[in-house]
Amino acid sequence: MRKILAIIIAKIAIALAKLMGHKGTNFGGEIALRICPDILAWFGSQVKKKIILVTGTNGKTSTNNMIYSMIRQSGHTCVCNKLGANLDSGLISAFINSCTLTGRIDAEYASLEVDEASLAKVMAHLKPDTIVFTNLFRDQLDGYTELDALLDKIRGSLEKSQDTVLLLNSDDPSLASLGEDLAHAKYYYGIETQMDMGSQDVDKDSVLCKLCGEKLDYDHYFYSQLGHYTCTKCHFKRPIPDFKAFIEDKGQKRELTAIGKDDFKVVRDFTTNDSYSIYNTLAAISAGGVLGFTAESVKKGLENYRPQVGRMENFYIGKPITLNLAKNPVGFNETLKIISQDMSSKVVAIGVNDLPQDGRDVSWLWDTNFEILLDIDDTIVNYTVFGRRRYDMALRLKYAGIDENKLTVAETVEDAIDSVVKNLSDTGYVLLNYSLLFETQKILKGRNEDVKADSVPSVS
Amino acid sequence: MKMLKLTLCHLYPELLNLYGDSGNVLTLIRRCQWRGIYVDVINCGVGSAADFENVDIFFMGGGADSNLGLVSNDMNNIKPQLELAVEQGKVLLAICGGYQLLGKYYRKKDTVLGLGLLDFYTEATDKNFSGNIVVDTGDYHLIGFENHKGRTYLNGLSPLGQVISGFGNNGKDKTEGVRYKNVIGTYLHGPLLPKNPKLCDEIIKIALKNKYGIEDLQELDDSLEIKARQHTLKLINSKFVSFA
């Protein structure tokens, strides 16, 4: 009875929130959780086939949505937190959105993205069949403490769930060290081709061997800590991937070929030099393989996948404007690299908030290589900063060395978009962290000129 | 006029690299550059042969606990040179983990680290002191973000300032950081110097005085820094805005 009460009230709350123009992604779940603390376990027990969790620092939403699309293309029903609300309340909201008033879920699968620091909490209620790990970088450090502590926490919760199959990134030494310690069934994916991902930033955060503390020696280096590595002292080295990716440059395109066991082979094209998308796609393809889907349905799933809000989303307001979520140094550096390949004149707007879901500490702005923008400074007509910590961002740009005369500090999101639109340029970029995303996207969408809009988002 | 040049030694940049602390180095460099002072940065990592004779400013950031052990071991090798530099009045700015290592000890369960350069000590706890912090140095207010499980007790040494809002050294005695000669230890990230240009300029002034006997420093246009301070203070508590 308590469950049903929780569901009804939460459903009403979600409907009201939507009426008022909010996304309602966490709100309903929070209410249900208050009324009925074990509601997540109850929902999970109704999933008929498999529960898949996707976790890691970056790429969770894209990877999870690709997996969801594959499951749907294979003809199955599936619950998914598509918008990326990934705390326990967000997961509960996803179930509430798909259940009847009596709380019945008719789903064969659940594919759920989980905040890496909430994994332990979620696993106390949900028993996943498979966990897909994208990567582990530094993220919101005030809440997440250090990478080592996070790894310990994740290891602890996995030890209590021995039957869970793990899918890990070979190229990430943090994740490989996690696999090293655990007796679970494990699969690895990794990029074999020693391609240049244009990275200049060597992130030394996890370059020490997690097993013995010695330095790792990199034979090849992709970005952040991802690469082909061997410990200089102990036996630790990059595991041989079960799903191997080969990348071929074909003029403007990059072609990814992912090969697993028994003729499992998926080929995919990329239009931008976006190392993120390549890894996300590889993780999703490998997950499809681990879940036993055919290469054909994996391919169809990827073709039908559409990126979520704010993942290199395109708008047109007098000029093409690209919106991208970037919430930590690694994510920002990758986005800045993509922008630095665009030689047209542009406005770059950067929004930074410091609400709990963003991380209250904004010092990560100084670990981000905004100096990348200086290389194309002559193509940037204006830098606009907005959000609660707009002045921190303004100072970061000043000390990076930009001309203060090109800097606009916008008091509101609306002002920031105005600045992007009104400053004369060929294109505009809006980069922001999480809690600014939905408000900004709504404004951009409202002002979008449909006729000229690039209505098909790139699959990158 | 002969060109002014300062040498900045960044201690263990590879291991002490959390929370944007390297932004302090960038800020020192820029505020010197804008005044036509050249800054030579030496990165000093584990096992680097240390020649500190020409160094004017030392900087240490914070780091993960697993890295602090490596740093602490290696630092014992350069302790005599550092002690000499400190007694000569050179500047040493140390943040968070770097600050803790300068003390008599930093104890976390069975692990005891520390260089013993200064007499204070730190005990690790399970509870995180995390959030925005405002500190009164007597001359001006410092703004930053603290994030530490260590509780530091000064043992009679002078603090860097008094906590106006936040936790500080130990959450009890209202002290924040340490100041001994020109050693500045503090828990303030943010990073510290971009939003605290007065402290940054004080460091540059000391270094110039030590090296060249120069006492005055050219003023810079800090209107953006002041606006950033006002804005941040307002986010913390609107009654603090006058501290900008």
Side-chain angles (χ1 to χ4, degrees), chain A residues 148 215 367 388 392 399-400, chain B residues 14 20 30 66 195 225 231:
Chain A
D148 291 345
K215 277 207 167 173
D367 286 323
R388 281 169 53 91
D392 287 86
Y399 283 86
Chain B
E14 294 183 7
R30 288 287 188 231
S66 56
K195 279 207 294 287
E225 284 80 355
H231 183 79

Side-chain angles (χ1 to χ4, degrees), chain A residues 361-364 366 392, chain B residues 19-21 144-145 188-192 194-195:
Chain A
D361 176 17
V362 293
S363 66
W364 59 272
W366 296 80
D392 287 86
Chain B
Y19 308 110
D21 288 337
F145 192 96
L188 270 64
H189 300 288
L192 173 69
K195 279 207 294 287

